[in-house]
């Protein structure tokens, strides 16, 4: 304790660590899950996967139609648009939830 009194930076770091520990202890499982999903979606690989799935959906429908099979949907791909809209809404809600949780520290 005497060393902490002599070193105000160390005291500040210790206080911040305790603050973060208390904040983490109050975090619910649902909030932790939302935080993990938000972190995962924030990685560049997520962008590649999402675009890859959309392109695969479009190409798959064209190939199915060209092969004489029934395509899942025709251009302009309304189902894909609906799925993308719902996904964007969910991602926006996850980001807002995570930001609100982080703002509790401020």
């Amino acid at each position: 304790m005497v060393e902490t009194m002599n070193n105000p930076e160390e005291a500040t770091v210790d206080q911040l660590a305790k603050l973060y520990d208390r904040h983490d202890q109050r975090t619910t499982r649902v909030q932790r899950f939302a935080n993990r999903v938000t972190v995962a979606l924030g990685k560049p690989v997520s962008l590649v996967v999402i675009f890859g799935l959309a392109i695969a959906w479009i190409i798959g429908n064209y190939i199915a139609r060209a092969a004489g099979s029934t395509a899942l949907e025709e251009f302009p791909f309304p189902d894909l648009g609906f799925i993308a809209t719902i996904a964007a809404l969910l991602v926006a809600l996850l980001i807002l939830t995570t930001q609100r949780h982080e703002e509790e520290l401020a």
Side-chain angles (χ1 to χ4, degrees), residues 76-92:
F77 308 108
D79 292 340
L80 179 61
F82 177 73
I83 291 168
T85 301
I86 296 300
L89 175 65
L90 292 175
V91 168

Side-chain angles (χ1 to χ4, degrees), residues 11-49:
T12 303
V13 170
D14 288 341
Q15 289 174 349
L16 284 173
K18 289 176 185 174
L19 178 68
Y20 276 93
D21 286 343
R22 280 194 308 262
H23 184 67
D24 286 341
Q25 289 171 356
R26 290 186 308 218
T27 303
T28 64
R29 277 190 264 170
V30 173
Q31 184 63 52
R32 284 190 183 111
F33 176 74
N35 292 346
R36 284 193 303 267
V37 171
T38 303
V39 167
L41 289 174
K43 295 181 180 179
V45 71
S46 297
L47 183 66
V48 172
V49 168

Side-chain angles (χ1 to χ4, degrees), residues 23 27 31 35 96-105:
H23 184 67
T27 303
Q31 184 63 52
N35 292 346
L96 289 173
T97 301
T98 302
Q99 284 180 340
R100 185 191 64 56
H101 180 253
E102 293 301 321
E103 285 176 359
E104 290 175 359
L105 282 173

Side-chain angles (χ1 to χ4, degrees), residues 43-64:
K43 295 181 180 179
V45 71
S46 297
L47 183 66
V48 172
V49 168
I50 291 168
F51 275 121
L53 289 172
I55 291 169
W57 180 272
I58 293 168
I59 292 172
N61 278 293
Y62 281 125
I63 290 173

